[in-house]
Amino acid sequence: MSEEIKEMNPDDKNHKKDSDGYEKICYLCHRPESKVDKMITIPNQITICSDCMQKTFDQIGMQGMPSFPGMDMMNLGSMGLEPPNEFQERHQVKTKKKKKQEKPALDINKLPAPHVIKGNLDEYVMGQEQAKKVLSVGVYNHYKRVLAEQTDDGVEIEKSNMLMLGPTGSGKTFMVKTIARLLQVPLAITDATALTEAGYIGDDVESVISKLLANADNDVELAERGIVYIDKIAKKQNTNNRDVSGESVQQALLKLLEGADVEVPVGATNKNAMVPMTTVNTSNILFICGGAFPGLEDIIKKRLTSQGTIGFGSELRDKYDHEKDLFRLVETEDIREYGLIPEFIGRLPIVFSLQAMDEELLVQVLKKPKNAILKQYRKLLQMDEVDLEFEDDAMMAVAKKAAAKKTGARALRSIIEEFMMDIMYEIPKDEMIGKVIITKDYIEGKGSPTILMRSNG
């Protein structure tokens, strides 16, 4: 190509040649110097035309610095071209890098009062009035304790972690999630059955702090004011094997509950990962432990009926057989007999229970919360311009089916998903459908939903 360029337009005054008699060619577009506005020479005798150089800076502004052999970016200004930083400022290039969210200020004047916290819980959790009140006050006092450490008056407020007792599906995890969202603090949720004593296969107890740090976008200060919820915190009973998720895990959790400096990896939950380590202090982290504690009711009943089992006191034997909420009568000795060690119980001073979901409460869960499953399906069908209505008898039928499964509110979604599947499939086929009414017969498999067509007017 150089030979051809040499022979082109030999008499052209603008035809520029180097000392060897050859015309310079752009390294990128291969155009000769006579066809471009300006040619720039960079180290290693590489020449680039001004057009290609400016396109390079455009690419720098959008995607980052490209690499060319011998390219020196130090003296770009002397070439009459804009350096990348000035180019980005002039064109106000928006990078895709996510801005770091500002940390919410934990101020006593902005801290929601207990009645405000409970009011927020009321919008999402039906029933459980006593549990919501205890949780609201406990969380409020915990963060007042954090703020009180900023003052030096000699009064030290002890940490108050919590223990939640309640059957599955009663709303334990959901209540904790709602409070963390309201207070804008990071939350880590872990399953105690997945935790093991150090040296065993599985996650060690400090992995929960790693999760909290990750949920706080690796902000140590924010993580140190977060909430950790440990579910299924109960020892397996009547086992002769080594129980790595029971007493030994409780022992390992003691220092976290009390407050300690923990070294955790940044960006990974495994200590063996090749990532930097950082120190997180757990003194101001609120720990909430929860579990269904199957069999605890029998221990409570045994204690309550242990006295006066003969003579006039024999009537106590079946006095509590039909008690719906035995957890509200729990005492420390019951939890200790169940399998929690005394040191662990002592670091969970606030103990409260949630009631099992009965049919009436399940109906309320179906229709009243802000994110109720029925409201979700109504919104989905409204996007197809179709109204959805549930008869009261139909909702009660769903509640009865859910109560029979004995999994609390978790059963509601699976039941509704099952009978709504055909409706969600068939409705978009006919644009004339204006309303669907779910009946009791349809829930019980004895009939079909009522379909109303749109009026022609």
Side-chain angles (χ1 to χ4, degrees), residues 239-386:
T239 176
N240 295 323
N241 299 325
R242 179 76 170 169
D243 181 19
V244 295
S245 64
E247 183 173 329
S248 58
V249 172
Q250 295 177 42
Q251 292 281 2
L253 282 170
L254 292 180
K255 66 174 184 177
L256 300 185
L257 296 177
E258 186 70 24
D261 289 329
V262 181
E263 276 200 2
V264 294
V266 179
T269 58
N270 186 356
K271 279 189 173 182
N272 296 323
M274 300 298 292
V275 295
M277 302 289 287
T278 189
T279 301
V280 177
N281 186 278
T282 65
S283 299
N284 292 329
I285 295 176
L286 176 61
F287 286 86
I288 303 176
C289 299
F293 289 82
L296 181 59
E297 298 96 330
D298 296 332
I299 295 176
I300 298 173
K301 190 185 300 183
K302 178 182 176 182
R303 172 179 58 81
L304 294 174
T305 59
S306 60
Q307 298 178 352
T309 55
I310 59 174
F312 293 105
S314 60
E315 61 181 10
L316 293 174
R317 185 180 297 276
D318 58 353
K319 179 179 179 181
Y320 300 98
D321 286 346
H322 302 289
E323 177 66 44
K324 292 183 179 180
D325 186 20
L326 272 174
F327 279 155
R328 66 183 178 85
L329 303 174
V330 69
E331 293 185 1
T332 302
E333 61 183 272
D334 302 323
I335 303 174
R336 185 170 61 248
E337 183 177 348
Y338 187 85
L340 298 189
I341 60 177
E343 297 88 348
F344 189 78
I345 299 173
R347 287 166 174 79
L348 299 168
I350 301 177
V351 181
F352 60 99
S353 64
L354 283 77
Q355 298 177 351
M357 294 279 186
D358 57 17
E359 294 177 5
E360 293 183 2
L361 190 54
L362 288 170
V363 171
Q364 301 300 316
V365 173
L366 272 175
K367 61 181 182 179
K368 284 193 173 182
K370 275 190 173 182
N371 61 339
I373 181 66
L374 299 191
K375 292 181 180 179
Q376 296 179 34
Y377 271 103
R378 285 195 183 100
K379 184 173 183 178
L380 288 174
L381 287 180
Q382 282 175 0
M383 298 174 70
D384 291 326
E385 298 182 353
V386 177

Side-chain angles (χ1 to χ4, degrees), residues 28 52-53 55-69 71-73 84:
L28 298 179
C52 290
M53 185 65 77
K55 289 179 181 178
T56 301
F57 291 149
D58 293 348
Q59 182 182 6
I60 292 172
M62 298 303 295
Q63 299 179 5
M65 182 71 68
S67 176
F68 300 116
M71 190 170 183
D72 185 3
M73 303 303 294

Side-chain angles (χ1 to χ4, degrees), residues 104 214 244 280 420 423 452:
V244 295
V280 177
M420 285 296 295
I423 294 176
L452 302 180

Side-chain angles (χ1 to χ4, degrees), residues 216-227:
D217 293 330
N218 295 324
D219 187 329
V220 175
E221 183 180 352
L222 187 59
E224 289 179 342
R225 294 183 174 184
I227 298 176

